[in-house]
Amino acid sequence: MGVNYIMRCHGCKAIWDLNLGYGLMAGERKNIIKCFRAQSKARVKSMIEEATVPPYGFAYRMCRCDECGEILSVPSIVLGDKKFLESCPSCHGQVVLLDEDINKISCPKCKGKVTIETTSIWD
Ligand SMILES: [Zn+2]
Ligand SMILES: [Zn+2]
């Protein structure tokens, strides 16, 4: 089951709606590969073909885009020291993983404090 966060900045009131983790579809490799862009599929396929336990390192993970600075979730594979993060959905920039500790995340626009407003489960 994945988790959905509605996060809000206390400074500029920006809101993010992020789906994180993975759903039932991650039980099958072909469904995981579908989550990635056409140019990423071959790489993801080769990364997960030797993994044996679902979700094969797959999850939507919280990231920050290096180019546009936005906080977002992207499909990603993390298997031991192998890591692949899909690029930013809005500007295609390179993204970096964010600390899972929400208290360490600040607003990319105003540097204000960001908190989670609502948490729900998806699958
Ligand atoms: Zn802000
Ligand atoms: Zn971006």
Side-chain angles (χ1 to χ4, degrees):
M1 281 185 296
V3 58
N4 173 268
Y5 286 160
I6 306 288
M7 305 195 313
R8 186 191 295 270
C9 169
H10 288 241
C12 68
K13 309 296 181 200
I15 285 182
W16 295 269
D17 181 347
L18 303 176
N19 281 328
L20 302 172
Y22 55 90
L24 292 174
M25 61 85 200
E28 288 196 58
R29 288 183 178 83
K30 64 177 190 325
N31 293 339
I32 291 173
I33 293 164
K34 270 187 218 159
C35 297
F36 291 84
R37 288 206 178 109
Q39 63 267 41
S40 310
K41 288 184 196 297
R43 179 162 177 194
V44 169
K45 187 163 187 264
S46 73
M47 280 182 82
I48 67 175
E49 66 189 355
E50 284 176 18
T52 51
V53 184
Y56 315 107
F58 172 81
Y60 285 89
R61 291 180 169 92
M62 198 188 301
C63 295
R64 186 194 302 271
C65 174
D66 261 354
E67 297 291 324
C68 68
E70 195 49 86
I71 296 173
L72 36 86
S73 70
V74 295
S76 64
I77 303 288
V78 177
L79 277 172
D81 55 358
K82 288 188 291 183
K83 185 167 77 171
F84 177 72
L85 303 166
E86 188 56 278
S87 53
C88 174
S90 51
C91 76
H92 293 202
Q94 186 74 42
V95 304
V96 291
L97 277 177
L98 273 181
D99 202 304
E100 308 235 334
D101 182 355
I102 187 79
N103 295 316
K104 293 182 183 162
I105 297 172
S106 58
C107 174
K109 299 180 182 80
C110 75
K111 308 291 176 214
K113 185 175 166 53
V114 172
T115 54
I116 294 173
E117 197 148 280
T118 320
T119 306
S120 56
I121 300 294
W122 61 276
D123 65 13

